[in-house]
């Protein structure tokens, strides 16, 4: 054993040994571990103390994986562990002696004990560990040391017919010696698998139960009367004689070479612990393993109740080879030691390029799944599959199938599935608890189990977790209909009814011409309206989501008018409205910056409907007044403040624009949006997944509540597997669930007539003083952040963001972080000696701007930092250049004036705006250049900014320029953006999620 932490010469000579002792309560033999004295010649002396994971270290021993495994077996067989494992789940654990009074528990417990002992003794035999039997404190351990055999032990069953009975004996041979059980001290340590201790030598009995020797410990021969032959032999003998060499006297002899079948037995490889198949060829009354050296065996055969005949079975080599050939045809591969590798697909990593090593249990499950899936094919080829004993479970490999029936209601589906496992039929509802608990072992009525296939666990996972149990049925809401599509319909089963595509005509109230893709989008929204399902329109920025939504609202308005829908409010509402002109009552929640844009587009494209702008301190508090309008526009913050008012109205429609505002499921805005009562719901966003798949859950929870289950379930089942492990199966499952409710089109796909967009990276060098300041600050930031502990913890997030933001500001301009006093004290990086801070980027941006200004172009100039924009504004004012200005402080009315000035006045060539204030809801097609002064973690924020100019209505080529300071955090951010984002590619528009890990910070601060 390796010694750790101590000089071996200073330690007493000891060894770790193991002992087997009889446990009186159950009559079992159980193991323990000892620290023992060891003589210089290696002989064992006396016990020092019991060995445990906690005590071996003081003697210089390390807890190796092998020792840990052995200590685990020993611990599992302690009285306390047995009490806890086999007592009822509720209440105080019962003593072992009380548990043994329950027949079913006793049988299961005994099987468990013997299997654990089998695993323990196999390790003893394999590693030749020092082993003793019934060691005592004062016993010289060498006197009770167990020896390992030099030769195998071979059992012999001898049957002799007499007039009215059959007598049989059990002999053993070890090497050249053949002996009766009574002649030696034989102790059966386990029953099944069998282990014997013979004169202190340990022997395994792979083909015999250990307790079979007990009757022969006192008697050489057992007599069985003729009238008890069949019952006795079937109960005690037959399974044994199939695997054991027998001898017979006084019987009729029949010779046969008939090969009846080939049994496939799952077997775990001794060294790599992977699962393989071994072959056992079944003949009448006996069998041979593929690697059995014997070519003939003698077997017993019952002719009638009392007539036993002897069969001399000779192996059929040609027939056995035919079975091997069939296995090859089925894709099996022969390996060493008579093992066959199943044609199971290897697991790959997220990239699909590298094979992933799987555990022994996973290998076993894969093999069982394959055998179940191919059961009929194997059966047709003449193979049978042996049951598998897994701890206390006997697992059957059965042919599996299912039938399903679907009953469709107005807004729900009732699903009835009957599963077939061999001869058993099981309602799916009984499997639901096992799938929810990720427990693949399902108990059958005969006391055995079958392994729920991995395919079923995946196929039925959504049904089990998202559906509602109704007796033996599963009820799904109509928004969960995609779950049904994973169930292939059985032959002759009626398909799920589908609604015909509705006839769609543009509403008369619409005063606009729609592009083909916009009409298709409106049709899609209207179909969801008619089916009572929420929908997310996730078109690229600038493709007219507002107009498409307005078209769908007008269709709903016309339908309500035709049907003369009664008021959704109380009867008092009729005092304020004409019942012949029932208002639509659509509530639109949106950022404050978009209120004016929506109002203008409604008045332009639908002048015949009524609008209420529910914003500002003068807004009404009367629900009856709001209920008179077709469309009510309000902001997210106002909706949160006025929730009690808005919740009282039964809205026909609730629409969320820039719906990423509800992305945080814990936010008050998300909760407020969910509490608004509306028959129909739409969300609009060019970036429905900004940071994580949790954004997508929030969207769908608003649109179709409960469709994706609880957030805790969604996080465990989708977010973690997809974002951490790139689980392809989970991606496909999620796409299938949300696909029907999410429509996404890109500019390139639907608006080929848009002028081209050119994106450029303009690298700038920092000024010398600026670079020195940046390096000094980077070192300070690195030291600070690396001492934080785990930077991903919420309590550290503010500090991390503040430190990284400071670096971003210096990369823009030192003036963003240096005070006027510091500049006067010459703390600032100055190149001209006057103390004024210098910025390489600031100078390069101005030079680039001058070139395009003189050519008559217009530019949108974005930055995350208002203070940085103010430096440019000061320069423009000093030079006498007009400009437009938009930050979060600009009031909505002034905001629109700035937009109109820039779009309408030729001399206003520059529009300065913060990324947050100007990134959404603006139509600025007068610009043909977009300056991005500093990169943002989320590339889709930048895409939204660019879309202010590159959108429908733009006639000029658009150039977007990113200004990046070399050798700064900006370059690192750019690389983050350039990495392929799996979420962006596969779930519409998500960037990579920014997670601050120690490794991630180190890469940013190199």
């Amino acid at each position: 054993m390796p010694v750790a932490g101590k000089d071996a010469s200073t330690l007493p000579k000891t060894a770790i040994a193991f002992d087997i002792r009889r446990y009186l309560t159950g009559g079992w033999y159980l193991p323990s571990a000892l620290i023992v004295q060891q003589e210089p010649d290696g002989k064992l002396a006396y016990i020092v103390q019991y060995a445990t994971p906690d005590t071996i270290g003081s003697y210089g021993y390390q807890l190796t994986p092998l020792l840990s495994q052995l200590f685990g077996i020993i611990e599992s067989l302690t009285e306390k562990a047995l009490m806890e494992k086999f007592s009822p789940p509720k209440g105080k654990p019962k003593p072992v002696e009380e548990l043994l009074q329950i027949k079913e528990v006793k049988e299961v417990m005994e099987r468990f004990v013997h299997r654990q002992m089998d695993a323990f003794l196999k390790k003893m035999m394999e590693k030749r560990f020092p082993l003793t039997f019934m060691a005592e404190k004062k016993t010289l351990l060498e006197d009770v040391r167990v020896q390992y055999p030099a030769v195998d032990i071979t059992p012999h069953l001898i049957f002799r017919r007499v007039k009215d009975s059959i007598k049989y004996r059990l002999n053993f041979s070890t090497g050249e010696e053949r002996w009766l059980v009574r002649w030696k001290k034989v102790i059966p340590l386990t029953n099944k698998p069998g282990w014997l201790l013979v004169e202190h030598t340990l022997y395994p009995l792979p083909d015999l139960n250990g307790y079979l020797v007990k009757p022969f410990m006192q008697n050489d021969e057992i007599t069985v009367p003729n009238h008890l032959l069949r019952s006795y032999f079937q109960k005690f003998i037959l399974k044994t004689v199939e695997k054991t060499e027998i001898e017979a006297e006084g019987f009729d002899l029949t010779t046969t070479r008939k090969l009846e079948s080939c049994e496939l037995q799952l077997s775990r490889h001794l060294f790599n612990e992977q699962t393989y198949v071994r072959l056992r060829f079944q003949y009448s009354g006996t069998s041979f393993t593929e690697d059995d050296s014997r070519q003939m065996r003698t077997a017993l055969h019952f002719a009638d109740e009392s007539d036993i005949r002897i069969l001399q079975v000779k192996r059929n080599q040609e027939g056995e080879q035919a079975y091997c050939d069939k296995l090859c045809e089925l894709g099996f591969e022969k390996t060493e030691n008579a093992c066959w590798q199943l044609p199971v697909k290897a697991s790959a990593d997220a990239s699909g390029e590298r094979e992933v090593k799987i555990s022994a249990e996973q290998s076993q499950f894969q093999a069982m799944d394959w055998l179940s899936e191919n059961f009929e094919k194997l059966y047709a080829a003449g193979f049978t599959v042996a049951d598998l004993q897994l701890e206390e479970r006997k697992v059957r490999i059965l042919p599996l199938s299912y039938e399903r029936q679907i009953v469709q209601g107005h807004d729900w589906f009732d699903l009835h599935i009957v599963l077939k496992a061999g001869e058993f039929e099981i309602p799916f509802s009984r499997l639901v608890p096992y799938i929810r608990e990720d427990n693949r072992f399902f108990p059958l009525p005969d006391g055995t189990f079958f392994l729920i296939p991995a395919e079923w666990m995946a196929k039925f996972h959504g049904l089990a977790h998202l559906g509602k149990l109704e007796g033996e049925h599963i009820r799904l809401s109509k928004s969960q209909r995609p779950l049904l599509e994973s169930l292939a319909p059985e032959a002759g089963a009626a398909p799920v009814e589908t609604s015909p595509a509705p006839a769609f005509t543009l509403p008369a109230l619409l005063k606009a011409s729609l592009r083909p893709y916009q009409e298709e989008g409106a049709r899609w929204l209207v179909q969801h309206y008619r089916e009572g399902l929420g929908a997310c329109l996730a078109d690229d920025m600038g493709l007219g989501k507002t107009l498409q939504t307005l078209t769908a609202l007008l269709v709903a308005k016309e339908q309500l008018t035709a049907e003369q829908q009664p008021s959704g409010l109380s009867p008092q509402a009729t005092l304020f409205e004409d019942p012949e002109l029932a208002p639509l009552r659509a509530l639109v929640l949106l950022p404050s910056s978009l209120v004016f844009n929506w109002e203008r587009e409604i008045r332009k494209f639908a002048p015949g409907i009524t609008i209420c702008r529910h914003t500002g301190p003068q807004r009404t508090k009367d629900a009856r007044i709001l209920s008179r309008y077709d469309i009510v526009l309000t902001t997210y913050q106002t909706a949160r403040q006025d929730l009690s008012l808005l919740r009282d109205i039964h809205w026909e429609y609730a629409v969320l624009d820039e719906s990423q505002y509800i992305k945080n499921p814990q936010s008050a805005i998300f909760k407020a949006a969910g509490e608004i009562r509306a028959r129909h719901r739409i969300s609009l966003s060019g970036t429905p997944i900004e940071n994580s798949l949790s954004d997508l859950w929030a969207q769908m929870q608003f649109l179709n509540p409960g469709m994706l289950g609880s957030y805790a379930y969604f996080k465990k089942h989708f977010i973690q597997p997809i974002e951490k492990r790139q689980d392809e199966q989970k991606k496909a499952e999620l796409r299938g669930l949300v696909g029907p409710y999410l429509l996404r089109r890109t500019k390139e796909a639907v608006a080929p007539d848009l002028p081209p967009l050119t994106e450029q990276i303009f690298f700038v060098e920092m000024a010398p003083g600026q670079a020195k300041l940046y390096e000094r600050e980077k070192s300070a930031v690195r030291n600070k952040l690396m001492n934080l502990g785990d930077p991903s913890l919420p309590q550290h997030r503010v500090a991390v963001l503040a430190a990284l933001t400071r670096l971003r500001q210096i990369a823009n301009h030192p003036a963003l972080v240096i005070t006027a006093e510091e500049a006067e004290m010459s703390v600032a990086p100055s190149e001209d000696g006057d103390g004024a801070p210098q910025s390489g980027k600031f100078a390069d941006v101005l030079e680039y701007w001058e070139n395009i200004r003189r050519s008559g172009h217009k530019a949108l100039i974005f930055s995350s930092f208002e203070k940085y924009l103010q430096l440019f504004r000061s320069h423009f004012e000093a030079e006498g250049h007009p400009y437009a200005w938009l930050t979060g402080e600009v009031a909505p009315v002034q905001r629109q004036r700035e937009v109109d000035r820039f779009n309408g006045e030729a001399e206003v060539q520059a529009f300065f705006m913060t990324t947050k204030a100007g990134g959404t809801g603006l139509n600025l097609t007068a610009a043909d250049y977009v300056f991005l002064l500093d990169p943002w973690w989320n590339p889709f924020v930048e895409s939204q900014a660019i879309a202010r100019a590159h959108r429908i209505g733009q006639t000029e080529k658009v150039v977007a320029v990113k200004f990046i300071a070399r050798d700064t955090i900006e370059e690192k951010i750019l690389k983050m953006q350039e990495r392929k984002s799996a979420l962006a590619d596969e779930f519409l528009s998500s960037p990579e999620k920014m997670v601050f890990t120690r490794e991630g910070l180190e890469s940013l601060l190199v």
Side-chain angles (χ1 to χ4, degrees):
M1 297 286 180
V3 177
K6 295 186 179 182
D7 183 355
S9 64
T10 67
L11 294 169
K13 187 65 174 178
T14 61
I16 295 179
F18 296 89
D19 183 61
I20 300 171
R21 175 172 297 278
R22 186 174 176 81
Y23 179 59
L24 296 178
T25 301
W28 307 311
Y29 289 93
L30 303 180
S32 62
L34 309 168
I35 300 291
V36 302
Q37 297 174 358
Q38 192 173 33
E39 302 294 345
D41 60 359
K43 291 184 178 180
L44 305 181
Y46 297 97
I47 298 173
V48 177
Q49 71 172 83
Y50 282 101
T52 69
D54 296 327
T55 62
I56 63 173
S58 60
Y59 292 90
Y61 298 108
Q62 291 180 330
L63 184 62
T64 64
L66 178 58
L67 278 178
S68 180
Q69 180 184 0
L70 292 171
F71 282 135
I73 294 174
I74 292 170
E75 174 61 27
S76 74
L77 295 176
T78 60
E79 185 165 3
K80 179 182 178 183
L82 292 172
M83 288 168 57
E84 291 178 349
K85 182 176 181 65
F86 293 100
S87 291
K90 295 182 180 179
K92 185 178 179 181
K94 296 182 178 182
V96 172
E97 57 266 27
E98 187 175 334
L99 293 171
L100 290 174
Q101 303 305 311
I102 307 171
K103 180 182 178 183
E104 295 80 5
V105 175
K106 179 181 179 181
E107 292 175 353
V108 173
M109 191 185 300
E110 188 165 273
R111 285 200 300 269
F112 173 77
V113 169
H114 288 179
R115 279 194 299 277
Q116 290 293 87
M117 277 299 293
D118 176 60
F120 174 81
L121 293 173
K122 281 179 178 176
K123 287 298 179 185
M124 293 296 106
M125 185 81 81
E126 178 189 344
K127 302 298 182 182
R128 293 299 200 260
F129 283 126
L131 181 64
T132 61
F133 181 70
M134 301 289 285
E136 299 290 348
K137 190 75 174 177
K138 297 181 180 180
T139 303
L140 185 64
L141 298 185
E142 197 64 31
D143 293 343
V144 293
R145 186 165 185 167
V146 172
Q147 304 300 316
Y148 297 108
V151 295
D152 292 338
I153 189 171
T154 304
H156 305 271
L157 278 171
I158 301 99
F159 295 90
R160 183 165 60 91
R161 174 180 283 285
V162 295
K163 183 178 180 181
D164 54 357
S165 62
I166 285 181
K167 298 178 181 290
Y168 76 96
R169 302 191 304 275
L170 174 62
N171 293 348
F172 289 99
S173 59
T174 46
E176 299 298 324
E177 181 186 9
R178 182 161 174 169
W179 42 272
L180 295 173
V181 175
R182 187 172 54 83
W183 294 355
K184 295 180 180 288
K185 184 179 180 181
V186 179
I187 300 173
L189 298 178
T190 62
N191 184 35
K192 186 179 180 182
W195 286 83
L196 297 182
L197 193 63
V198 182
E199 304 288 1
H200 274 80
T201 299
L202 182 66
Y203 291 101
L205 291 177
D207 293 330
L208 279 184
N209 292 347
Y211 289 175
L212 189 65
V213 305
K214 287 185 176 182
F216 299 97
M217 295 169 74
Q218 302 296 329
N219 303 289
D220 291 345
E221 197 169 56
I222 303 296
T223 301
V224 183
N226 283 344
H227 68 280
L228 296 178
L229 277 180
R230 180 175 286 273
S231 61
Y232 186 89
F233 270 68
Q234 286 178 339
K235 187 174 182 180
F236 298 107
I237 303 298
L238 280 184
K239 289 185 179 179
T240 298
V241 300
E242 288 180 3
K243 302 176 182 179
T244 308
E245 191 67 36
I246 69 169
E247 301 170 18
E249 302 173 10
F251 294 90
D252 294 334
L253 179 64
T254 303
T255 301
T256 181
R257 294 181 73 249
K258 184 179 180 182
L259 177 57
E260 295 181 343
S261 66
C262 178
E263 184 179 70
L264 305 180
Q265 298 179 327
L266 289 180
S267 173
R268 185 174 294 179
H269 195 281
L270 184 61
F271 300 110
N272 64 25
E273 294 196 330
Q274 296 305 292
T275 300
Y276 295 87
V277 159
R278 290 184 179 274
L279 306 185
R280 182 174 287 275
F281 299 107
Q282 303 288 352
Y283 292 82
S284 180
T286 191
S287 61
F288 297 88
T289 59
E290 185 182 5
D291 56 349
D292 197 330
S293 61
R294 290 169 292 189
Q295 296 301 308
M296 183 179 71
R297 297 184 73 170
T298 305
L300 295 176
H301 175 71
F302 278 97
D304 55 39
E305 287 294 326
S306 61
D307 186 13
I308 296 179
R309 296 183 179 180
I310 300 299
L311 289 177
Q312 190 178 67
V313 181
K314 295 182 180 181
R315 294 180 71 170
N316 181 346
Q317 297 290 354
E318 296 81 6
E320 292 180 9
Q321 183 59 47
Y323 277 114
C324 295
D325 294 342
K326 290 179 183 178
L327 277 189
C328 292
E329 292 172 5
L330 290 168
F332 286 74
E333 291 184 12
K334 184 73 173 288
T335 65
E336 79 284 356
N337 300 322
C339 291
W340 289 81
Q341 186 171 334
L342 289 92
V344 177
K345 292 181 181 178
S347 298
D349 63 5
S351 68
E353 298 176 354
R354 185 177 59 189
E355 186 175 332
V356 175
K357 184 177 181 180
I358 62 175
S359 67
E361 183 183 68
Q362 289 173 317
S363 174
Q364 200 167 46
F365 283 4
Q366 279 189 353
M368 296 169 72
D369 283 342
W370 191 94
L371 291 174
S372 291
E373 183 180 343
N374 293 275
F375 189 94
E376 299 290 356
K377 189 186 298 183
L378 291 166
Y379 182 79
F383 293 99
T384 60
V385 183
D387 297 337
L388 189 65
Q389 192 70 43
L390 296 177
E391 294 187 357
E392 63 269 22
R393 303 185 188 96
K394 183 178 182 181
V395 183
R396 298 180 62 183
I397 309 295
L398 299 169
L400 303 173
S401 61
Y402 69 88
E403 295 177 352
R404 59 104 167 129
Q405 180 183 11
I406 299 172
V407 177
Q408 186 171 350
H410 175 66
D411 56 0
W412 47 261
F413 298 97
D414 269 347
L415 179 63
H416 182 63
I417 301 176
V418 176
L419 308 166
K420 295 183 178 182
E423 67 271 28
F424 302 104
E425 290 192 355
I426 306 158
F428 173 69
S429 57
R430 289 186 54 202
L431 251 70
V432 167
Y434 294 87
I435 296 176
R436 287 178 177 174
E437 295 168 9
D438 201 26
N439 177 8
R440 297 184 61 187
F441 293 102
F442 184 83
L444 293 167
D446 63 356
T448 62
F449 293 78
F450 82 85
L451 187 75
I452 304 174
E455 180 188 356
W456 283 12
M457 294 293 286
K459 181 189 294 285
F460 297 135
H461 190 281
L463 293 175
H465 284 80
L466 302 177
K468 182 180 179 182
L469 275 175
E470 300 275 353
E472 292 190 353
H473 297 259
I474 295 287
R475 176 160 289 189
L476 303 175
S477 67
K478 58 185 175 184
S479 65
Q480 293 170 324
R481 178 175 178 164
L483 289 172
L484 301 178
E485 295 179 9
S486 65
L487 306 177
E490 300 296 317
V496 181
E497 293 181 14
T498 57
S499 302
F504 176 80
T505 56
L506 291 175
L509 291 170
L510 181 69
K511 307 304 179 185
S513 297
L514 301 186
R515 291 169 174 252
Y517 77 86
Q518 291 174 327
E519 184 172 332
E520 182 60 33
R523 179 184 291 108
W524 183 80
L525 290 174
V526 168
Q527 181 174 348
H528 282 71
Y529 163 73
R530 290 174 174 169
E531 292 182 358
L533 296 167
C536 174
L537 184 58
D539 282 349
D540 225 346
M541 288 78 73
L543 292 183
K545 292 188 289 292
T546 303
L547 180 56
Q548 294 175 66
T549 304
L550 183 57
T551 303
L553 295 181
L554 293 177
V555 170
K557 166 74 173 175
E558 288 183 350
Q559 182 169 323
L560 286 175
T561 302
E563 297 172 357
Q564 294 189 1
Q565 282 278 2
S567 170
L569 198 65
S570 59
Q572 289 91 330
T574 58
L575 298 174
F576 296 86
E577 64 188 35
D578 183 346
E580 295 298 320
L581 299 173
L584 174 60
R585 292 198 189 94
L587 177 67
V588 182
L589 277 66
L590 64 173
S592 58
S593 60
L594 300 187
V595 173
F596 184 86
N597 185 64
W598 262 81
E599 186 175 13
R600 185 177 60 180
E601 294 213 8
I602 293 171
R603 297 194 186 284
K604 178 180 179 181
F605 298 126
I609 64 174
T610 57
I611 318 168
C612 173
R613 187 196 299 179
H614 184 66
T615 59
Q618 304 303 316
R619 63 186 183 273
T620 183
K621 299 297 183 181
D622 192 332
R624 296 173 301 172
I625 293 176
L626 290 179
S627 67
R628 295 174 57 192
Y629 290 95
D630 291 311
I631 298 178
V632 174
L633 304 175
T634 192
T635 68
Y636 285 102
Q637 294 298 335
T638 302
R640 181 176 62 82
Q641 295 167 9
D642 291 1
L643 180 59
S644 59
L645 168 67
L646 300 176
R647 194 169 47 197
D648 283 344
I649 302 173
H650 291 265
W651 301 95
E652 178 69 12
Y653 250 119
V655 180
L656 306 185
D657 195 2
E658 298 297 342
S659 57
Q660 63 270 21
Y661 271 70
I662 67 165
K663 65 184 179 183
N664 181 3
Q666 305 304 319
S667 68
I669 291 177
F670 169 81
K671 295 174 182 176
E675 290 188 36
I676 291 172
R677 292 184 289 178
R679 290 179 61 197
H680 306 281
R681 296 170 181 242
I682 292 175
S683 67
L684 308 174
S685 177
T687 55
I689 309 174
E690 274 200 330
N691 294 317
S692 167
L693 287 177
S694 62
D695 304 353
L696 182 61
W697 180 86
Q699 299 267 340
M700 292 299 136
Q701 181 67 10
F702 166 76
L703 294 172
N704 299 303
M707 185 185 97
L708 296 178
S710 68
Y711 180 69
Y713 164 76
F714 185 81
K715 182 177 181 180
K716 178 181 179 182
H717 187 60
F718 289 113
I719 295 179
Q720 292 174 351
I722 292 174
E723 294 188 357
K724 291 184 178 181
R725 302 191 300 273
Q726 296 297 305
D727 189 311
E728 298 298 330
Q729 188 175 7
K730 300 299 183 192
K731 290 178 186 178
E733 183 181 350
L734 182 55
R735 281 195 298 268
L737 288 171
V738 303
Y741 310 108
L742 212 156
L743 181 62
R744 164 74 169 169
R745 280 87 58 87
T746 63
K747 293 175 184 175
E748 294 77 12
V750 300
D753 54 335
L754 264 179
L757 169 67
T758 301
E759 296 190 47
Q760 299 177 353
I761 306 295
F762 191 100
F763 287 103
V764 303
E765 300 289 344
M766 288 187 288
Q770 181 185 17
K772 290 179 183 177
L773 175 63
Y774 184 89
E775 288 301 317
R776 187 167 67 244
E777 186 68 23
K778 184 175 74 171
S779 297
V781 166
R782 184 193 296 115
N783 293 336
K784 177 181 179 180
L785 296 186
M786 291 301 105
N787 292 324
L788 271 181
D790 184 357
S792 65
L793 295 176
Q795 61 265 34
H796 297 151
R797 185 173 179 81
V798 173
V800 171
L801 282 172
L804 297 180
T805 297
R806 186 172 175 85
L807 290 178
R808 293 177 63 221
Q809 290 174 319
I810 295 173
N812 273 331
H813 202 301
L816 300 186
V817 300
I818 293 177
T819 64
E821 292 77 9
E822 289 175 323
E824 291 176 3
M825 295 171 63
S826 299
V827 174
S830 169
E831 283 74 46
D832 55 11
D834 64 358
Q838 302 296 310
S839 165
K841 181 187 288 190
F842 185 75
D844 286 346
V845 171
L846 287 177
E847 182 178 352
Y848 197 111
W849 158 251
E850 281 298 319
N851 289 332
I852 70 166
R853 182 186 69 81
R854 286 193 291 268
S855 300
H857 296 286
K858 289 195 173 195
L860 309 178
I861 303 175
F862 287 94
S863 175
S864 302
F865 306 105
E866 182 178 346
K867 188 176 179 180
Y868 192 29
L869 295 178
Q870 288 170 353
L871 296 177
F872 285 96
R873 180 168 66 175
S874 297
H875 175 83
F876 270 52
E877 290 174 349
E879 296 292 324
H881 297 315
Y883 61 87
W885 181 263
L886 179 59
T887 67
E889 306 299 321
V890 175
V893 174
Q894 182 61 30
R895 176 188 178 94
Q896 190 56 42
R897 290 195 190 117
E898 295 295 292
V899 170
D900 292 341
R901 284 183 61 235
F902 181 76
N903 281 335
E905 299 178 14
E907 63 273 15
V908 181
Q909 292 179 256
F911 199 147
F912 294 106
M913 59 187 76
T914 55
T915 308
K916 187 172 183 180
T920 59
L922 297 178
N923 189 335
L924 297 168
T925 53
D928 53 353
Y929 275 83
V930 179
F931 286 9
L932 301 168
L933 300 186
D934 35 69
W936 184 240
W937 308 103
N938 184 341
F940 294 93
V941 171
E942 296 179 359
S943 297
Q944 286 181 313
I946 294 170
R948 299 312 100 213
H950 192 247
R951 60 193 299 114
I952 300 301
Q954 179 62 265
T955 59
E956 302 296 328
K957 173 184 176 181
V958 176
V959 179
V961 186
K962 294 183 181 181
F963 292 90
I964 304 295
R966 284 194 182 278
D967 301 322
T968 70
I969 191 175
E970 292 189 340
E971 275 197 283
K972 306 297 193 306
I973 293 173
L974 191 64
K975 290 179 180 178
M976 288 174 60
Q977 294 179 348
E978 289 172 348
R979 285 202 305 265
K980 182 178 180 180
S981 168
L983 289 179
D985 288 344
E986 299 176 72
F987 296 101
L988 308 171
S989 304
S990 168
E992 292 209 355
K993 184 178 181 181
M994 185 178 65
V995 178
F996 292 124
T997 63
R998 179 170 295 277
E999 295 76 14
L1001 285 178
E1002 287 177 349
S1003 68
L1004 287 172
L1005 300 174
V1006 172

